[in-house]
Amino acid sequence: MPKPWITVEPGWRLRNTAGQELDPLLFRILQAINDTGKLTESAVRVGYSYRHCWNLIHQWSAFFGVPLVELSKGKGARLTPLGEKLAWAAERVQARLGPQLENLAVELDREINVAISDSKPTLRLHASHGYAVALLPELFAQIGTARLELQYLGSLDAMASMARGNCELCGFHLPLNLPCGELMTRVHKFLKPRSHRLVRLVTRTQGLYLGQGNPAGVQSLADLTRPEVRFVNRQHNSGTRILLDLLLEHGGIASQHITGYEQVEFTHAAVAAFVASGMANVGFGVEAAASRFKLDFLPVAKEAYMLACRTDTLEQPAMQQLLGILRGPEFPAQVSGLAGYSAERAGEVLRVDALEAVLAGQG
């Protein structure tokens, strides 16, 4: 009988100076109320009874000395200002640390399972962080005959990792209809026409994250240089940072004139949470994160998110299973729920020398 595979799920706790810990369930309840506006629906979402959820809210409202949730007959439930702050804190922690913790969990998971289980086919994917690629491990797990091990790296770092033999697949994104000769030179350092193949994943929209109602009055990238605008950026070598720098270069906009340009976060969600908190006026990233944090969004560019692998990897059973997932109904259905994403032609295999045509909208 095969031994079970272990999944490591990272978590975090909030403790005061007296040693009292907030129950992590409270954050899930508050987030669910923020999303649904109903305690009954929130209780179902988190998998606990209405009474248990209300008792937990009441307990921690008493601890803080102010209500966390207000219930109104016929109007459902809404978070108080403190409840909103706690829900936002949980969102910010998850957005900022989630991918790094997931990477650590993957490494621990690998070592634990090597120690307790017979070997099981594993397809290693190192990829730029994104909402669509994050769907793949769970979809892949439903097949049951292999594992998809996903770790997050910046686009160029993911390509370099595959070139070193640290993974079978890499995931990266490149802008559509935007001249990027220097970037393509860097891409072709890692991807060779004879040795590699590309697989379409999704197209997605990147743009500016703005507070609700756009109080800063930002209308274009050029407005980022206004002295009253505070920006939050992505980390160096991430695909999104590379895209932004290309856009600034083509627009003749000097990054040194952007307040906050060196303030960085490591995921789209972390950037969106930073703007939602009011610590910055503007961020840059995918539309799905703006939607998640209820921000206004100004579209700026579209890009292709691709996977790449060695040509012989395509023949591996695990890779064939992944292609089947991308071409099947479930992946496009889930992607359709992500704002600014499209899975049209997902799973299509391309030659590396077709990449320029794809980015020019001709392939």
Side-chain angles (χ1 to χ4, degrees), residues 249-331:
E249 179 184 347
H250 287 286
I253 302 167
S255 61
Q256 61 266 32
H257 295 156
I258 300 175
T259 302
Y261 179 83
E262 298 302 331
Q263 170 73 52
V264 302
E265 295 287 344
F266 286 83
T267 67
H268 299 282
V271 171
F274 203 92
V275 175
S277 73
M279 292 188 292
N281 305 107
V282 190
F284 185 78
V286 297
E287 185 176 356
S291 177
R292 178 68 187 89
F293 285 88
K294 300 180 174 65
L295 297 171
D296 285 4
F297 182 77
L298 181 64
V300 174
K302 286 189 176 292
E303 59 184 6
Y305 194 117
M306 313 286 288
L307 304 179
C309 66
R310 294 189 63 83
T311 304
D312 54 6
T313 301
L314 286 174
E315 306 306 318
Q316 295 181 9
M319 186 65 198
Q320 288 296 311
Q321 291 172 359
L322 179 60
L323 292 175
I325 290 171
L326 298 182
R327 297 165 182 169
E330 185 62 24
F331 178 70

Side-chain angles (χ1 to χ4, degrees), residues 5 113-114 116-122 147:
W5 284 76
N113 285 301
V114 164
I116 69 171
S117 177
D118 296 331
S119 61
K120 185 176 184 179
T122 299
R147 303 174 67 236

Side-chain angles (χ1 to χ4, degrees), residues 25-300:
L25 176 60
L26 176 67
F27 297 112
R28 293 170 54 202
I29 296 170
L30 294 178
Q31 289 172 319
I33 291 173
N34 192 47
D35 291 340
T36 67
K38 297 180 182 297
L39 183 55
T40 50
E41 188 174 334
S42 298
V44 172
R45 178 180 291 194
V46 300
Y48 286 82
S49 70
Y50 179 98
R51 180 180 294 275
H52 182 80
C53 293
W54 176 243
N55 286 342
L56 192 62
I57 292 169
H58 181 73
Q59 173 190 344
W60 288 104
S61 294
F63 171 78
F64 285 110
V66 294
L68 300 179
V69 176
E70 292 180 351
L71 297 180
S72 302
K73 191 171 183 179
K75 295 184 178 180
R78 69 179 184 88
L79 301 182
T80 65
L82 178 58
E84 290 178 351
K85 288 292 185 184
L86 289 174
W88 168 82
E91 288 268 24
R92 176 106 194 279
V93 168
Q94 181 59 36
R96 190 171 199 182
L97 301 181
Q100 290 96 317
L101 292 175
E102 288 172 26
N103 282 350
L104 177 59
V106 165
E107 294 172 8
L108 295 174
D109 176 71
R110 183 192 308 132
E111 296 303 318
I112 291 172
N113 285 301
V114 164
I116 69 171
S117 177
D118 296 331
S119 61
K120 185 176 184 179
T122 299
L123 190 63
R124 298 170 297 173
L125 168 59
H126 293 179
S128 177
H129 185 264
Y131 288 87
V133 74
L135 299 172
L136 296 180
E138 184 174 347
L139 290 172
F140 202 83
Q142 296 172 9
I143 297 174
T145 60
R147 303 174 67 236
L148 180 65
E149 183 183 281
L150 171 62
Q151 287 190 275
Y152 293 118
L153 295 174
S155 283
L156 292 174
D157 291 333
M159 293 183 210
S161 183
M162 186 179 69
R164 293 192 297 267
N166 293 334
C167 60
E168 289 75 42
L169 272 171
C170 67
F172 60 95
H173 49 97
L174 295 170
L176 298 173
N177 302 308
L178 182 67
C180 48
E182 182 180 348
L183 174 58
M184 291 308 299
T185 298
R186 299 170 73 183
V187 169
H188 287 303
K189 175 183 175 182
F190 302 113
L191 302 181
K192 306 299 182 182
R194 288 189 177 182
S195 305
H196 297 97
R197 290 293 182 268
L198 305 174
V199 178
R200 290 183 189 266
L201 189 67
V202 294
T203 57
R204 63 186 193 179
T205 303
Q206 295 238 43
L208 295 176
Y209 298 158
L210 310 167
Q212 290 186 3
N214 189 12
V218 172
Q219 301 299 324
S220 69
L221 288 173
D223 289 331
L224 299 182
T225 61
R226 286 170 24 205
E228 73 275 17
V229 172
R230 291 168 290 116
F231 185 68
V232 57
N233 209 346
R234 284 291 303 278
Q235 80 276 18
H236 180 71
N237 230 29
S238 68
T240 296
R241 172 70 168 265
I242 292 169
L243 171 60
L244 175 64
D245 288 345
L246 279 171
L247 292 166
L248 294 177
E249 179 184 347
H250 287 286
I253 302 167
S255 61
Q256 61 266 32
H257 295 156
I258 300 175
T259 302
Y261 179 83
E262 298 302 331
Q263 170 73 52
V264 302
E265 295 287 344
F266 286 83
T267 67
H268 299 282
V271 171
F274 203 92
V275 175
S277 73
M279 292 188 292
N281 305 107
V282 190
F284 185 78
V286 297
E287 185 176 356
S291 177
R292 178 68 187 89
F293 285 88
K294 300 180 174 65
L295 297 171
D296 285 4
F297 182 77
L298 181 64
V300 174

Side-chain angles (χ1 to χ4, degrees), residues 341-361:
Y341 275 76
S342 170
E344 185 178 359
R345 300 172 73 176
E348 182 178 337
V349 178
L350 303 170
R351 292 179 56 87
V352 170
D353 51 18
L355 184 56
E356 281 83 353
V358 170
L359 299 180

